[in-house]
Amino acid sequence: MADDGMLLNFEIPADAFTTPQTKFKGGRWKDRLTARKSAEYGRQKANERQPPPQESTQTSESHQHARPVKRARTGDTGAANTAFSNNGDFVSSLFTYNPTSKAPIESTPTEEVNIEPSNAPLADDETAKFTTLGLSPTLAGHLLKKLDIKAPTGIQRKAITQLCKDDTDAFIQAQTGSGKTLAYLLPIVERIATISRQMKDAGQDFNRHSGLFAIILAPTRELSKQISTVLDSLLSCYNWIVTGTVQGGEKKKSEKARLRKGLNILVATPGRLADHLNNTETLDVSMVRWLVLDEGDRLMELGFEQDLQKIISVLNLRSRKKHETTIPGLPERRTTVLCSATIKSDVEQLQSMSLKNPISLAVDASENTGQSAGEENNFSAPAQLKQSYAIVPAKQRLVTLSAVLKQTFKRKGSVMKCIVFISCADSVDFHFEILTRGGKKDRAEGDSEKTDAHSMDRKPGKPPPKKPGSIPQGNTISETRTQGRAAFFSKDNPVQVFRLHGSLQQATRTSTLKAYTKCEEPAILVCTDVASRGLDLPNVDLVIEYDPPFSKDDHLHRIGRTARAGRDGRAMIFLQPGCEEGYVEVLKEARPRNLTRHDADELLKKGFGNSKGPEESDNSWEVRATDWQLGVERWAIDNPKHLDQAKRAYQSHVRAYATHVAAERHIFDMQELHLGHLAKAFALRDKPGSIHVAGLRPGKDSGNKSKQVRGQKRSAGRTEKDEDVAAETDATEARRKMQAMSRAMGGASEFNLG
């Protein structure tokens, strides 16, 4: 046959004889077609990363000008970027498609500068002794010999001198950890002890029936309990002065019996005291001469304004009652003391409501922070506190927290106590279970039971057998396990983990704080802001703000749990790349002497790096970090209870994220929050739109099941970029639903109250 000049191109794919073709069976034909196209798209992308084959010299000019092969992305190799799990489901990688930081990296000084503590006791000289401030030798000697308090702090020197001398109202403002509790307790104890001596000299007996002379109000039950403990330690040298507490969470009947027996000093929460003023006739407040409002800003934030107005009005009205017997040394008027670490509009409102011609007691700014005396200093932290912030993408939040804790407690005895602040109660429960996963109740009691580290390798669909009478997850009010051993530490270096939030029963909260305080092993407290105000927890070396605070004042109180009374301390806050980096400017408002930056890769290398030597590959830390993350995800999938808990924590976190104060909402912008990446930080592999918790949204618990099935089949062959694009599309709808839920629940609700 003659050549007619036609050229037939029988070109076939280069991988036609090398790559096995996947056969898709079952299901609808549309689903099979979609899966096949997705698989072909994945092979095409894989071929583009291969180097181009050597072209023949007979290639036409049109082939010579073909589109160049796409450059291979760096960091796509290695086990750390595995995109599929054992059963073929898509698993998003930790180290790809993460947003990068927009802020330039600032150089930090390498040399450590010795900084004088700003809240330490004063030098031990004649002018800094308790006896020179107006305290009796008995009380001053008790402080030195029994409580090992040798010298007062700056605010204590000013407050004790003023309150022991005059009967004027006072406003005490000082840094956290500077000893405000002793600043108002010592003058009250001294004045009441003086009254008791004068009564004995006049031939009168002083006992619990002599009258109620002082009331101290605190915003939280934990703080009121702590104040009562400090007060009891002071009164061990005056055992005839009787104290007591009334607070929410306890039986009113027992409290009424306590009030009926008689008290000289009462520590209370505002709500319960207002209730007793209404319903307890034996509560006589006509001789109250000292009223203390501790943590005034928190009292107003928690909505105690009406209760405080009622208490103050009742005290004003009943103080006019005439008594048949006169008490020598009892002042004519009542002294009201307001304490707060910050000055805000609501604190000024409380000040105008409760104080009359007050004297302001505060340590000069030049003494504490180096500022000029006339410069405003409403937001400051102890000067010796070393602060840092970590820029961590949403995907890597959970694994980075684990890396930081591993590095912190790596050397036994280097760090004793650590507090991790989280935004909401559901998230606290989830992270507590993550840190102690595989543990049992008897392990929390000190048994040497081996941690069930292999539980992560259990096959999906085979959850462990349930114990009879076990409490379902999510019912945090009834659950009582608040202590466990950290799963990622050995027996030679045990670390205890505690959890605390406002949804626990009061007895559980009290016992948890007591156990954490007295724990002799290194310990981690995972908690909400319920533990951020006023609590003096000993030996706290590190504070981690895993979830950013809802206001800068909350940040001040959180980090104030460390670096107390002149001791050293560290604080770290987690921020996501993007708009959240704007919070660094808020941190700088306090003019910290030490503020350093960390990146996620830096922290992960330290936590998951090779400690035995440099013989491993450079990306070995990525492999270990990914294995840890996949193990957590398998742990959640293996047990429906854990999976439900992760979903609850995720949804509660998103709702809490929308409750930041208006002035900082541009920093914590819901529109910039990547819900798909955030779900991975809660060990979830579902798309944001598919994350539902039964019972949380009545009538919309599970959605259309057929759509969920089709969505799972469509995702079977996706590449990671396709998954992230789909997750972002789902995030828009999920974000709109979350915002509507937050508005329906009244904004803040319980998520920022703990």
Side-chain angles (χ1 to χ4, degrees), residues 30-193:
K30 289 184 177 180
D31 296 334
R32 294 197 301 272
L33 179 62
T34 302
R36 186 163 55 251
K37 289 183 177 180
S38 298
E40 292 175 357
Y41 179 78
R43 288 195 297 270
Q44 179 183 356
K45 289 297 183 180
N47 292 334
E48 289 179 354
R49 297 192 180 102
Q50 300 288 338
Q54 189 70 25
E55 293 187 355
S56 172
T57 56
Q58 298 180 356
T59 306
S60 62
E61 295 182 0
S62 60
H63 288 110
Q64 293 178 3
H65 297 285
R67 183 178 177 180
V69 177
K70 201 172 183 179
R71 181 177 60 88
R73 290 191 306 123
T74 59
D76 275 356
T77 59
N81 295 299
T82 303
F84 293 90
S85 63
N86 295 334
N87 57 1
D89 295 335
F90 180 86
V91 180
S92 178
S93 173
L94 282 173
F95 299 96
T96 53
Y97 297 104
N98 285 319
T100 57
S101 174
K102 300 178 182 178
I105 300 178
E106 301 176 358
S107 59
T108 56
T110 56
E111 298 182 359
E112 293 188 1
V113 181
N114 293 328
I115 299 176
E116 291 295 329
S118 59
N119 56 6
L122 300 174
D124 190 9
D125 54 21
E126 290 298 327
T127 61
K129 290 185 178 180
F130 285 104
T131 52
T132 62
L133 305 181
L135 299 184
S136 63
T138 302
L139 185 55
H142 177 71
L143 291 173
L144 178 61
K145 296 177 182 179
K146 299 296 183 179
L147 303 182
D148 197 23
I149 302 177
K150 301 178 181 179
T153 62
I155 191 61
Q156 289 173 357
R157 179 171 63 177
K158 288 192 172 185
I160 294 172
T161 304
Q162 174 63 34
L163 297 178
C164 285
K165 180 179 60 175
D166 298 326
D167 297 327
T168 56
D169 293 351
F171 175 67
I172 299 179
Q173 183 195 11
Q175 291 179 341
T176 58
S178 57
K180 293 191 297 295
T181 303
L182 284 180
Y184 62 75
L185 282 183
L186 287 173
I188 292 176
V189 172
E190 179 62 32
R191 296 290 296 273
I192 296 178

Side-chain angles (χ1 to χ4, degrees), residues 576-630:
Q576 298 183 34
C579 59
E580 284 193 12
E581 296 180 67
Y583 199 76
V584 177
E585 299 301 323
V586 179
L587 299 177
K588 292 181 180 179
E589 290 180 12
R591 298 190 176 184
R593 304 290 184 88
N594 300 287
L595 182 62
T596 57
R597 166 181 169 149
H598 302 284
D599 291 318
D601 288 352
E602 169 196 349
L603 299 175
L604 290 174
K605 286 180 183 178
K606 291 181 179 179
F608 291 96
N610 182 22
S611 59
K612 297 181 180 180
E615 64 271 9
E616 289 186 314
S617 58
D618 294 337
N619 67 337
S620 60
W621 60 273
E622 294 186 11
V623 177
R624 281 190 285 268
T626 302
D627 289 342
W628 188 91
Q629 175 71 29
L630 293 178

Side-chain angles (χ1 to χ4, degrees), residues 694-713:
L696 193 61
R697 300 173 61 196
K700 299 181 179 180
D701 54 345
S702 59
N704 193 328
K705 293 185 178 180
S706 61
K707 291 183 179 180
Q708 294 180 12
V709 173
R710 290 197 299 269
Q712 293 174 0
K713 291 182 178 180

Side-chain angles (χ1 to χ4, degrees), residues 107-347:
S107 59
T108 56
T110 56
E111 298 182 359
E112 293 188 1
V113 181
N114 293 328
I115 299 176
E116 291 295 329
S118 59
N119 56 6
L122 300 174
D124 190 9
D125 54 21
E126 290 298 327
T127 61
K129 290 185 178 180
F130 285 104
T131 52
T132 62
L133 305 181
L135 299 184
S136 63
T138 302
L139 185 55
H142 177 71
L143 291 173
L144 178 61
K145 296 177 182 179
K146 299 296 183 179
L147 303 182
D148 197 23
I149 302 177
K150 301 178 181 179
T153 62
I155 191 61
Q156 289 173 357
R157 179 171 63 177
K158 288 192 172 185
I160 294 172
T161 304
Q162 174 63 34
L163 297 178
C164 285
K165 180 179 60 175
D166 298 326
D167 297 327
T168 56
D169 293 351
F171 175 67
I172 299 179
Q173 183 195 11
Q175 291 179 341
T176 58
S178 57
K180 293 191 297 295
T181 303
L182 284 180
Y184 62 75
L185 282 183
L186 287 173
I188 292 176
V189 172
E190 179 62 32
R191 296 290 296 273
I192 296 178
T194 303
I195 292 175
S196 68
R197 287 194 298 268
Q198 294 180 1
M199 289 181 65
K200 291 180 180 179
D201 294 340
Q204 301 178 15
D205 293 333
F206 184 92
N207 50 41
R208 63 167 66 221
H209 301 292
S210 298
L212 178 61
F213 300 109
I215 295 178
I216 301 166
L217 295 178
T220 62
R221 305 167 191 174
E222 284 74 22
L223 182 54
S224 65
K225 185 64 177 178
Q226 177 180 286
I227 295 172
S228 178
T229 302
V230 176
L231 186 57
D232 290 339
S233 65
L234 291 178
L235 292 177
S236 60
C237 61
Y238 298 122
N239 52 17
W240 56 86
I241 301 177
V242 181
T243 67
T245 59
V246 293
Q247 59 186 13
E250 294 186 358
K251 294 181 179 180
K252 294 182 182 179
K253 186 176 181 180
S254 60
E255 290 182 347
K256 286 186 177 182
R258 195 179 309 147
L259 295 174
R260 192 180 302 112
K261 290 180 180 179
L263 299 172
N264 304 128
I265 303 176
L266 177 63
V267 182
T269 52
R272 184 52 63 93
L273 178 59
D275 182 80
H276 280 294
L277 288 175
N278 272 343
N279 304 313
T280 306
E281 297 179 359
T282 57
L283 178 57
D284 184 8
V285 295
S286 59
M287 286 189 292
V288 172
R289 292 298 182 266
W290 290 275
L291 174 65
V292 179
L293 308 176
D294 200 359
E295 297 290 345
D297 53 346
R298 189 63 170 169
L299 286 171
M300 298 298 284
E301 287 176 4
L302 295 181
F304 288 125
E305 180 180 356
Q306 293 183 356
D307 292 330
L308 293 174
Q309 286 180 344
K310 180 178 180 179
I311 293 171
I312 294 172
S313 62
V314 170
L315 291 177
N316 292 336
L317 181 62
R318 298 183 184 179
S319 62
R320 302 171 186 174
K321 180 180 178 181
K322 299 296 182 179
H323 288 270
E324 298 178 359
T325 59
T326 58
I327 298 179
L330 187 67
E332 293 292 333
R333 66 179 300 272
R334 186 182 72 246
T335 298
T336 303
V337 179
L338 175 61
C339 301
S340 178
T342 57
I343 299 178
K344 298 189 296 184
S345 58
D346 52 3
V347 177

Side-chain angles (χ1 to χ4, degrees), residues 422-427 528-529 550 558 648-649 651-657 659 696 741-742 745 747-754:
I422 297 180
S423 60
C424 52
D426 287 334
S427 187
T528 59
D529 283 343
F550 296 97
R558 281 178 169 186
R648 287 181 185 274
Q651 292 192 345
S652 296
H653 174 85
V654 174
R655 290 198 302 274
Y657 194 88
T659 62
L696 193 61
M741 290 172 60
S742 177
M745 299 187 68
S749 185
E750 76 275 19
F751 299 105
N752 62 340
L753 299 182

